[in-house]
Amino acid sequence: MTEQFEPTIIGFTCNWCSYRAADLAGTARMKYAPNVRLIRMMCSGRLDPTFVLRALSGGADGVMITGCHPGECHYIEQNYKALRRFILLRRVLAGLGIEPERVKLVWASAAEGVRFASETTAFVEEIRKLGPLNWGNQGKDERERMKDENSSFIIQPSSFEKEVTL
Amino acid sequence: MSDTRSNPVDKRSSPVEKKIERVGVYVCHCGSNIAGTVDVVDVAKWAGEKLKHQGVVVAREYKFMCSSLGQELIQKDIKELGLTRVVVAACSPHLHEKTFRTAAKNAGLNPYLVELASIREQVSWVHSDKTVATAKAKAVVAGAVSRVIENRPLDEIKVPINPNTLVVGGGIAGIQSALEIANAGFHVYLVEREPSIGGHMAQFDKTFPTLDCSACILTPRMVEAGTHPNITLLTWSDVVNVSGYVGNFHVTIKKKARFVNEELCTGCGICQEKCPKKVIDEVYEAGLGYRKAVYTPFAQAVPNFPVMDKENCTYFIKGTCKACEKFCPTGAIDFKQEDQLINVDVGNIVLATGYDLFDARRVSNYGYGRLPNVFTSLEFERLSNAAGPTSGNIVLRDGKTTPKNVGIIHCVGSRDKNFNNYCSVICCMQGLKFAHLVHERTGATVYNFYIDMRTAYKAYDEFYQRVLEEGTLFVRGKVAEVTNAARRESEKGKLIIQVEDTLAGKQRRIPVDMVILSSGLQPRYDAKEVGKMFGISCSTDGWFTEKHPKLDPVATMTEGIYIVGCAQGPKDIPSSVAQGAAASARVLDKILQKEVTLEPIKASVDHEKCSGCKVCNGMCPFNAIAFIEDDKVSDINPALCQGCGTCVAACPAGAISGTGFSDAQIIAQIDGLLLRNLEPA
């Protein structure tokens, strides 16, 4: 049996929209892929691109950045700044030899629990297709180390299939 | 650990000088909400062992952490074990962050040294496999532990609350809200878009289930609001801009030109009498009656000053007429009047912006707009109203024929996948009210076509029984079509209602003279823009979103902004009034506290590090960042800073730091979530 690759993804969320969308997905008991671990910020504008690099260098296979829809920012227009940084960051990633698709920007309002859940699951699938982010030997060690650390962190392939049904 | 890379942004890379914090981890079962999917005992045990080197000195699990016993558990540990940091792995911080922060504060720990790890909304409720969920919960806890170590004690910011309140919308919900606050002795600005307050309720004839005359119960309230010394009434006005935050909102209101001087006008009505121009009244009379170009929408309007409709006034169109000016006994007509912008400062805002009626034209198979004798519910309200265009005579569109058979169709535009999925709440009772009125005044045979009868609440079902006993006929089934294409002699000249009677299991064609569509309610056409202006969100259906659907139905996610009446969702008059009063209680609570505590999430510039590049200056939409020419550095005004953190991320020198969401906190959380903190660095 070939073990299905389970990516680790860090998600950056905005306190006013996408974090609440995640809350809403929870309240409504929507099931989505368990691979994303969220960090709350006050605004997607807080996202320093080095956070993304830190996550990717630290073992994440992908990073999902979420914010309010254009025109709906709680701080008027800061999500546009996140958008600019995102575009620039993807170029930088390509220059570093990392697939730009590993970083995704998703707009989700506080009411869009369904969207948050489905986008998360879709992104996990996209990263799964890309495969693990190999950071040379170091990344490999990291992965090995994490595996040894606690075997329960290896997700059984069959269990995930059930999660994606929304 | 094999990772020996040095990272310039890693502010944790100096473990030598670091004081080890004493962290307590508390994992909540939340009954079975979390414990059903996450092995909470394992999570707590794991955190106690694997995160020990990080400073975790105690890790416990408990049935309900938010209960008073759960809180006492934490407080006891803070005091006895000398905890310096607390992580509670439970629900979303939006629910209980305040609870645990307050608990910590009462035990002598700075409230901002408490961190919530959301393992319910983000883990147990969205995943079903226990192994996977437990593993994710551990990662989330590890992230929170790493983060909390980087938390710094913060002081709450207290700002005074402006005791004035803005109420937007002068329907019954807004009036109730304004009166409650004004009666408590505080000032209210009541803003209404139409020329008079009263809202939809002013259009109704009777109210269900008591059949009270709507105007008789509403107009005393309108007059009270209009004459109250604590209420500034601004009708024919729109809110055009809102800035600030709870306690200190700055609001700009556009008072549209009335072309009538309110100081001089006595409301005698001569101008309306003399105005030669008749206009179809689409708003108040629902298109069934006329008004003049200068008009008050109805006799009991508050305020009673007329408004000139510039679009239709002969003088504004042709440059001559001025009949109103000639006859006005006080010289109150002023054709030169201009729109006025009024700035007011308020501490709290109540939104009571109401609803729009679903446009029945969209259900084309019911023929509204095409078949003359198909009426909307609002049209029927005017038809049955003694003050309406027919003086309360229920007649067909020709203005004289009394109908012999009337069909009332429920759920028009509601509970319909093609239009709105939600139930509009009031339509069943409205349909019953119409049935009673038609029966009482015309003796006609009345058919109600319904999907389900929903007559919950006090005395509603009794009214249903009464209408049944009066002989109204009920057909259970969704009407397929209303047509005038007769198939037999008896159908000629009639409207035929084609329906599947689901109780009889038969297709039926029922010929009637009049059809009333019990249209649903929908959000105001501009609800989304209004929500954006006030900084609140709308649900997917378009209604304003409340803070909590059950426990906080009138507050919103934006502190200091409340939603009442149909703006929050379809509801009847008693519920709207209850919400109006409820929001006032919340506003008064805020006013009486005299000051409000703000989150101390602010950015500040380290002048030593600032190179004066000005990159941050353009980042701030609140103009909080200014460049000090003398020192050649940028500086942030904490009073204007809203704490978004965009400048923190933008500063190339790392000179700007943001409290509550510092680089160190976020990076530590990233590392924690990726389980890089499992052994000593």
Side-chain angles (χ1 to χ4, degrees):
Chain A
M1 192 185 91
T2 49
E3 198 179 281
Q4 184 178 232
F5 164 57
E6 289 298 341
T8 304
I9 292 165
I10 294 290
F12 292 97
T13 56
C14 154
N15 179 56
W16 304 99
C17 56
S18 45
Y19 194 85
R20 281 159 211 259
D23 276 357
L24 182 62
T27 314
R29 315 293 200 276
M30 295 164 191
K31 304 292 177 212
Y32 60 85
N35 310 52
V36 178
R37 298 164 191 177
L38 300 182
I39 293 179
R40 177 170 68 117
M41 301 187 298
M42 290 309 280
C43 177
S44 53
R46 176 67 184 89
L47 187 91
D48 187 328
T50 55
F51 296 163
V52 177
L53 298 176
R54 177 76 179 200
L56 292 175
S57 67
D61 301 294
V63 172
M64 189 163 99
I65 305 162
T66 60
C68 306
H69 284 278
E72 291 181 7
C73 180
H74 186 82
Y75 302 101
I76 304 174
E77 55 183 28
Q78 306 303 61
N79 51 353
Y80 288 102
K81 278 139 199 165
L83 174 64
R84 285 189 221 163
R85 287 174 192 155
F86 165 73
I87 293 166
L88 186 64
L89 177 67
R90 294 212 348 164
R91 287 197 196 178
V92 172
L93 287 178
L96 290 170
I98 299 168
E99 301 89 340
E101 298 78 31
R102 290 193 184 272
V103 182
K104 188 181 188 178
L105 181 64
V106 172
W107 305 129
S109 78
E112 291 177 326
V114 182
R115 184 180 162 83
F116 181 84
S118 59
E119 288 284 352
T120 301
T121 303
F123 186 52
V124 170
E125 282 309 312
E126 288 161 27
I127 298 298
R128 201 194 302 281
K129 277 194 196 111
L130 285 174
L133 175 57
N134 287 317
W135 275 110
N137 290 331
Q138 198 172 15
K140 219 174 188 176
D141 292 349
E142 190 80 351
R143 201 164 291 284
E144 289 301 315
R145 187 185 67 77
M146 278 170 62
K147 267 189 191 173
D148 299 340
E149 203 60 66
N150 190 329
S151 58
S152 69
F153 284 102
I154 299 164
I155 298 160
Q156 294 308 312
S158 56
S159 64
F160 175 64
E161 298 303 317
K162 281 179 273 167
E163 302 284 330
V164 285
T165 45
L166 288 173
Chain B
M1 182 169 162
S2 58
D3 186 2
T4 49
R5 286 165 297 159
S6 68
N7 189 323
V9 289
D10 188 359
K11 287 173 187 158
R12 304 184 314 120
S13 58
S14 47
V16 191
E17 63 202 60
K18 196 148 225 151
K19 173 185 155 236
I20 296 282
E21 301 292 347
R22 295 177 67 79
V23 187
V25 175
Y26 300 87
V27 187
C28 182
H29 294 226
C30 196
S32 63
N33 279 306
I34 296 171
T37 323
V38 172
D39 186 343
V40 284
V41 178
D42 184 33
V43 173
K45 190 168 153 267
W46 179 87
E49 288 167 8
K50 295 281 176 178
L51 301 171
K52 202 171 191 172
H53 70 279
Q54 287 241 301
V56 174
V57 290
V58 59
R60 299 182 197 275
E61 29 79 31
Y62 188 68
K63 203 107 190 134
F64 288 103
M65 284 315 308
C66 61
S67 68
S68 53
L69 286 175
Q71 293 182 47
E72 278 163 24
L73 194 69
I74 301 174
Q75 290 177 322
K76 197 164 156 260
D77 283 353
I78 292 173
K79 287 178 192 155
E80 290 178 3
L81 301 176
L83 298 184
T84 57
R85 297 287 188 275
V86 170
V87 168
V88 185
C91 50
S92 166
H94 289 145
L95 214 60
H96 272 309
E97 189 172 63
K98 207 172 172 188
T99 312
F100 294 113
R101 279 182 174 176
T102 311
K105 192 179 164 189
N106 293 339
L109 184 69
N110 184 287
Y112 297 92
L113 300 178
V114 176
E115 197 63 41
L116 253 75
S118 175
I119 59 164
R120 192 179 73 174
E121 280 81 352
Q122 283 177 29
V123 181
S124 69
W125 277 353
V126 290
H127 307 313
S128 29
D129 185 294
K130 199 159 182 173
T131 318
V132 172
T134 306
K136 183 172 169 185
K138 286 176 184 172
V140 174
V141 170
V145 168
S146 294
R147 187 186 204 278
V148 81
I149 292 166
E150 301 298 337
N151 281 17
R152 295 288 167 262
L154 300 173
D155 293 324
E156 290 169 339
I157 301 173
K158 293 203 186 270
V159 291
I161 286 198
N162 187 315
N164 298 335
T165 306
L166 172 73
V167 177
V168 186
I172 186 60
I175 291 174
Q176 182 72 27
S177 192
L179 282 175
E180 300 270 358
I181 299 166
N183 285 339
F186 298 101
H187 200 86
V188 178
Y189 297 95
L190 178 55
V191 176
E192 166 60 49
R193 173 146 66 186
E194 295 300 329
S196 167
I197 56 171
H200 280 109
M201 195 179 163
Q203 293 171 280
F204 302 162
D205 178 36
K206 296 280 189 286
T207 56
F208 59 75
T210 49
L211 300 173
D212 286 306
C213 155
S214 185
C216 311
I217 55 175
L218 173 67
T219 49
R221 289 299 176 93
M222 290 165 59
V223 172
E224 205 185 333
T227 55
H228 203 293
N230 286 337
I231 297 180
T232 304
L233 191 57
L234 295 160
T235 56
W236 202 235
S237 302
D238 285 314
V239 175
V240 290
N241 192 38
V242 181
S243 63
Y245 48 91
V246 58
N248 300 276
F249 290 108
H250 312 293
V251 183
T252 309
I253 300 159
K254 183 166 98 176
K255 196 168 184 291
K256 293 175 273 186
R258 260 190 143 90
F259 303 106
V260 171
N261 185 329
E262 291 171 27
E263 303 282 309
L264 300 173
C265 177
T266 60
C268 68
I270 289 177
C271 54
Q272 302 189 54
E273 226 171 83
K274 299 295 178 188
C275 177
K277 183 70 179 269
K278 268 189 171 181
V279 184
I280 293 174
D281 188 348
E282 295 286 354
V283 180
Y284 183 70
E285 294 290 6
L288 282 189
Y290 290 97
R291 60 165 169 81
K292 295 294 183 67
V294 56
Y295 69 104
T296 47
F298 50 101
Q300 307 100 315
V302 172
N304 208 11
F305 315 127
V307 160
M308 196 159 328
D309 168 10
K310 200 178 170 183
E311 308 277 295
N312 289 299
C313 169
T314 313
Y315 172 73
F316 281 109
I317 297 167
K318 294 184 181 161
T320 61
C321 178
K322 289 196 173 183
C324 50
E325 193 184 49
K326 274 177 219 130
F327 288 97
C328 178
T330 59
I333 303 287
D334 176 6
F335 287 104
K336 291 201 181 70
Q337 211 176 64
E338 282 175 5
D339 293 351
Q340 243 182 298
L341 288 179
I342 300 168
N343 291 308
V344 296
D345 287 346
V346 295
N348 292 280
I349 296 173
V350 178
L351 292 179
T353 49
Y355 66 91
D356 281 335
L357 198 67
F358 173 79
D359 182 6
R361 280 182 187 82
R362 290 174 61 197
V363 194
S364 56
N365 41 335
Y366 289 173
Y368 178 69
R370 177 163 49 86
L371 302 169
N373 291 321
V374 178
F375 291 82
T376 65
S377 48
L378 219 46
E379 282 181 331
F380 183 81
E381 291 285 359
R382 296 313 299 155
L383 213 53
S384 62
N385 194 317
T390 59
S391 310
N393 289 319
I394 297 168
V395 288
L396 298 183
R397 201 74 74 166
D398 64 8
K400 47 183 196 261
T401 318
T402 307
K404 291 194 179 65
N405 320 78
V406 177
I408 300 170
I409 303 177
H410 291 221
C411 295
V412 177
S414 310
R415 305 183 68 202
D416 186 334
K417 279 191 171 170
N418 301 309
F419 306 103
N420 295 316
N421 285 326
Y422 55 83
C423 166
S424 288
V425 182
I426 53 107
C427 331
C428 280
M429 286 303 290
Q430 175 181 263
L432 292 175
K433 176 181 79 176
F434 291 169
H436 170 82
L437 292 175
V438 171
H439 188 71
E440 182 186 64
R441 297 193 190 161
T442 65
T445 309
V446 186
Y447 298 88
N448 267 269
F449 300 91
Y450 67 100
I451 309 176
D452 295 295
M453 284 305 292
R454 295 183 168 181
T455 54
Y457 305 123
K458 198 174 178 181
Y460 283 14
D461 209 57
E462 290 87 328
F463 186 70
Y464 178 24
Q465 291 305 323
R466 176 179 169 183
V467 174
L468 273 168
E469 280 160 22
E470 283 172 357
T472 295
L473 302 164
F474 288 84
V475 179
R476 186 175 185 273
K478 191 153 174 70
V479 172
E481 189 187 21
V482 178
T483 176
N484 58 357
R487 285 193 197 157
R488 34 185 177 257
E489 202 57 35
S490 60
E491 293 179 352
K492 284 220 170 108
K494 299 265 190 180
L495 292 170
I496 303 104
I497 296 174
Q498 173 80 46
V499 60
E500 183 191 359
D501 186 331
T502 56
L503 294 182
K506 282 193 174 114
Q507 283 288 336
R508 295 179 69 180
R509 284 171 68 81
I510 299 173
V512 294
D513 298 316
M514 179 192 246
V515 171
I516 306 166
L517 304 178
S518 203
S519 307
L521 313 186
Q522 59 183 28
R524 283 282 187 200
Y525 67 94
D526 58 352
K528 204 164 185 189
E529 286 86 72
V530 171
K532 211 155 97 185
M533 183 160 65
F534 288 93
I536 60 168
S537 59
C538 295
S539 66
T540 30
D541 289 324
W543 307 103
F544 291 145
T545 317
E546 59 281 348
K547 190 164 185 181
H548 192 281
K550 293 171 198 75
L551 301 181
D552 215 348
V554 295
T556 64
M557 285 296 184
T558 306
E559 221 187 325
I561 306 223
Y562 304 89
I563 46 174
V564 302
C566 287
Q568 184 253 352
K571 58 181 61 65
D572 55 15
I573 295 168
S575 304
S576 298
V577 171
Q579 281 203 336
S584 305
R586 302 293 300 275
V587 169
L588 292 172
D589 165 32
K590 276 264 181 321
I591 295 173
L592 293 172
Q593 286 179 29
K594 293 199 172 66
E595 52 183 18
V596 64
T597 309
L598 299 182
E599 287 270 304
I601 299 169
K602 303 275 175 191
S604 59
V605 183
D606 181 346
H607 290 179
E608 291 290 312
K609 287 188 190 164
C610 177
S611 66
C613 72
K614 295 191 191 176
V615 161
C616 58
N617 291 204
M619 287 288 152
C620 185
F622 307 102
N623 298 321
I625 312 178
F627 187 70
I628 309 170
E629 285 295 343
D630 292 347
D631 302 333
K632 297 270 180 271
V633 288
S634 292
D635 195 50
I636 296 170
N637 179 347
L640 294 174
C641 175
Q642 305 286 308
C644 69
T646 306
C647 58
V648 185
C651 181
I656 307 181
S657 53
T659 50
F661 292 85
S662 68
D663 282 355
Q665 282 172 292
I666 295 171
I667 285 166
Q669 193 177 3
I670 295 171
D671 288 354
L673 287 175
L674 293 171
L675 299 168
R676 286 161 61 92
N677 58 346
L678 296 186
E679 55 192 272

